[in-house]
Structures are given as C-alpha cells and as structure tokens.
Amino acid sequence: MARPSSAGAVDLEITGIENAILDLLVRVDDRHLDEMGLDKGIMKLVSADEQNAILDHVRGGDGEVLQPEIEAGGSCANVLRAASLLGVTASYSSAVANDDTGRLFEHGLEASRVRNRLAHIDGVTGTSVVLVTPDGERTMNTHLGVCRQYRAEHVPEDDIRRSSIFFTTGYIWDTPNQIDAIEHAIEVAREAGARLAIDLADPFAVGRSKDHLLRHKEHGFDILFANAEEARMMTGLAPEAAARELGKTIEVVAVKDGVRGAWVHRGEEVHHVRAHRVEVVDTTGAGDCFAAGFLYGLLRDLPVRTCCEIGIAMAADTITHLGVKLSPDIRERLTAIGHQGQRETQQRLQAAQ
Ligand code: 26A
C-alpha cells in the first residue's frame, strides 16, 4: 500500500497506540458467570478489588490453586504482535507502570519484535481477567490502570511519520488526556500521509465514543474494522448494507459477522467471505487477529478479498487456542492464500483483456 510521494522515509509498516493490558485467562463454567451476575461475551470495566473477587470466586474457596494463563493482551497490541509474527514491522505505544505486570507486557511485545514505545507512569499496569466458558466465549473484566493516563507527549511522532499505517481502536477515546493524545496522533499521521486504520473493537467503545468515531468516519479513517453489532451501532444497518454505507466515506471497510463470515467493501467491490468451521477453544482476540491478517494483506498489496480471506484464516486459527496465539505454520498457510489471490486476480485481468 503506497504512501504519497511527498511523505518522508517510510521504514515502519504500522504504528499503533492504545491500552497496554496483561490478560489473565481462566477457564470457567457458565454457572460461575451466573453466580457473579456477569453477562457472557461482553467487556466490563472493573476495579482491582473486583478482579480479585472474581478470581477468588472461580477458585471456589476450597484451597484449589488457580493458575490463570498469563499473557500480554490489549486489543491493538494483539493486532501488532500478530502482524509482526507475519513479518510486518510494527511499533506500539501506551503506558505501563514499573511493576511485574508491566514488565510481562513489555516482554510480550519485545518477544514478538514489536518496537516498544511504552511510557512508564507510577501506579499499576492494566489487566483483564478473561473468563473463558466451555463454548469458547470470552467474558472480559478489565482494570485499565495507568494506560488511562497516556497523554499527547507520549505519542511516538517519529514512528507515526515513518509508518505506512497508523492503527488504533475505539477503546482509546476514554479520558480527556487519552482523547487529546489520540487526536494529536491522528493529526501527525494525516500530515505525514500515513493511512489511518481503526478497529471499533467493542460495542461498549462505540457506545461511549460514538461522536468521535462518527466525526472520523466522515473525515479521516481510511481502513475500518467492525463487527456486526458495532457496524449496526454506527449505521443502523445489517452487515452487508453497513459495509456499503461505511464504504461511502472510508476506502476499505470490513464488517465481521462471526460464524456468518465477513463483508469487505472497497470502491466498487463488495465481497462476502465465509468463516471456517473449527473447534472453538477461546474467541479472545479473534477480531484482533482478523485485523492483523487483513492489514498484512493490504501492506503486501493483495486484493481486498484476499485480505479478508487472510483475516478470516487468522481469526479461525487463534480461536483454536486458549489466549491470542497462532499455530506455528500460520505464515505458510497465509502465503498460500496470498498466492491464490494473486493468481485469481491475474486470471480475471487476462479474461477482461
Ligand atoms: C478500554 N478497554 C476496556 C480495553 C480492553 C482491551 N484492550 C484495550 N482496551 N479491554 C480488554 N481488552 C483486550 O481485548 C483483547 C481481546 O480483543 C484484552 O486484553 C484482550 O486481549
């Protein structure tokens, strides 16, 4: 995906800013959610005390040792780590504290070779207690900690200027200082000619920040990812119609519809791509991996339908693992999808001549 010729040197593919969060994943039964009055499948903001009460509750109080699976999370960071595993060069910024949680998060970033542009602020690093039920659905209980104190001076301006794509999610429009920071980052990206990509991330985020998101929908976003519910909240429409509507002002739009697959819109093109049938272990990060795969495809100049197929393959792969993980052979599988997409495009072009 080429940048305008007026832009400076571009040696990074994606820079992202959002919330640094460490995930504590625990397998639970549906009754645990019922007993705690938690609605399955949603993200809820909670205090650190509430997180501890949830962990105590699922431990059952009989001396059983609970060992959550601990791994770096944060929606945007998930996207960048997954993209980086595919060979995309990425840089990430948010805020962590000088605590073990923050160090584990940083380790996750660096292990995936994502450039670390984290700010350090006194307090506690964000965490999400992710409860995974036997059907693979995830219910997130997030304590945001110091990432809510992220501010404009933390924005890695140089990295944004040197990137093809600036990426964030709907989660970032939260505190006034975070809003200042993201609006500043968007301005830097626009001035430098970087593409602006956003994942709406969560119906909760769209509900909270709809005005900001609608403004950027009209005057800024180049690439948008949404699930069916988020797209409906933005447009009042079902997935295909929502993709077409959002596509009136946004160059590339992907609307994900779970087991019904995804719709992608670009210019005159609209495609539907089917979901894969897989054994679902944990849906955490499925949307993040979709975005990672899709952006990888765009950065490699693949046809938009192929980008969507790669996104779907990434989502299908991660949901067969607990946590946001990918299978060792994922890169080869995606390369095969990419080659197939290129062949089909060549055949179509030849047939049209
Ligand atoms: C503002 N909030 C609540 C959040 C998040 C979040 N990432 C950014 N901001 N709440 C949960 N997450 C992350 O979402 C991922 C799955 O898409 C979790 O850390 C999880 O890895």
Side-chain angles (χ1 to χ4, degrees):
M1 179 173 260
R3 282 269 304 266
S5 54
S6 61
V10 177
D11 53 3
L12 268 168
E13 291 183 295
I14 312 181
T15 291
I17 295 178
E18 196 228 34
N19 300 318
I21 291 170
L22 194 77
D23 288 347
L24 282 73
L25 294 130
V26 191
R27 290 181 197 269
V28 299
D29 291 323
D30 287 76
R31 73 171 171 86
H32 288 118
L33 300 184
D34 295 341
E35 285 162 8
M36 292 184 284
L38 297 173
D39 291 330
K40 198 200 278 199
I42 65 148
M43 191 292 303
K44 187 179 170 196
L45 290 179
V46 296
S47 65
D49 286 347
E50 285 171 304
Q51 281 185 330
N52 286 330
I54 291 169
L55 291 172
D56 277 346
H57 188 94
V58 296
R59 186 178 285 123
D62 53 2
E64 188 190 327
V65 180
L66 182 75
Q67 282 186 318
E69 182 110 354
I70 297 176
E71 60 176 39
S75 184
C76 168
N78 289 339
V79 174
L80 298 187
R81 279 193 303 271
S84 180
L85 291 177
L86 303 181
V88 169
T89 52
S91 168
Y92 176 77
S93 185
S94 176
V96 292
N98 289 308
D99 54 10
D100 287 344
T101 310
R103 279 183 281 280
L104 284 170
F105 182 87
E106 292 198 66
H107 176 74
L109 212 55
E110 286 159 8
S112 310
R113 302 218 196 111
V114 175
R115 188 182 289 186
N116 175 351
R117 295 292 192 221
L118 290 165
H120 293 84
I121 296 177
D122 285 344
V124 294
T125 301
T127 48
S128 191
V129 172
V130 184
L131 305 176
V132 182
T133 33
D135 57 359
E137 189 54 85
R138 96 288 184 267
T139 304
M140 300 193 289
N141 301 273
T142 307
H143 173 58
L144 287 164
V146 296
C147 61
R148 298 188 82 213
Q149 294 177 45
Y150 190 80
R151 41 184 199 278
E153 71 194 62
H154 298 138
V155 168
E157 296 178 5
D158 282 348
D159 284 5
I160 295 175
R161 289 194 188 99
R162 291 159 57 184
S163 295
S164 300
I165 292 176
F166 175 66
F167 178 76
T168 191
T169 86
Y171 277 136
I172 192 77
W173 279 268
D174 182 359
T175 58
N177 46 283
Q178 280 175 296
I179 294 173
D180 265 7
I182 199 64
E183 295 293 339
H184 173 62
I186 286 174
E187 228 171 85
V188 171
R190 204 167 284 142
E191 275 170 23
R195 300 284 163 126
L196 197 53
I198 178 150
D199 192 329
L200 297 181
D202 194 313
F204 158 88
V206 180
R208 183 175 64 182
S209 314
K210 198 167 172 193
D211 292 347
H212 292 291
L213 297 169
L214 284 173
R215 182 164 45 83
H216 287 297
K217 162 180 116 43
E218 295 302 322
H219 308 288
F221 296 144
D222 298 301
I223 302 158
L224 180 134
F225 303 104
N227 69 20
E229 175 58 9
E230 294 147 14
R232 191 198 56 75
M233 290 172 78
M234 293 289 279
T235 61
L237 298 168
E240 181 185 359
R244 290 179 192 271
E245 175 62 27
L246 291 163
K248 288 179 182 166
T249 52
I250 302 173
E251 189 191 340
V252 180
V253 177
V255 178
K256 300 157 286 172
D257 197 11
V259 292
R260 285 168 294 280
W263 292 91
V264 60
H265 182 281
R266 179 182 209 167
E268 301 292 301
E269 287 180 64
V270 189
H271 305 278
H272 177 254
V273 175
R274 284 199 208 172
H276 299 192
R277 279 169 189 248
V278 291
E279 190 98 4
V280 182
V281 173
D282 171 19
T283 57
T284 309
D288 303 335
C289 288
F290 177 94
F294 197 109
L295 291 172
Y296 157 84
L298 282 180
L299 285 160
R300 301 292 172 266
D301 284 322
L302 295 174
V304 82
R305 184 190 170 89
T306 309
C307 296
C308 196
E309 285 168 351
I310 292 176
I312 291 265
M314 287 279 283
D317 186 68
T318 191
I319 65 177
T320 64
H321 304 275
L322 181 69
V324 190
K325 297 187 189 74
L326 293 163
S327 300
D329 66 342
I330 189 76
R331 232 178 132 164
E332 289 85 75
R333 280 194 275 143
L334 300 187
T335 307
I337 298 175
H339 287 156
Q340 176 68 20
Q342 279 166 331
R343 268 196 302 276
E344 283 170 11
T345 307
Q346 269 162 11
Q347 281 161 4
R348 261 200 304 277
L349 287 174
Q350 277 162 5
Q353 273 169 8

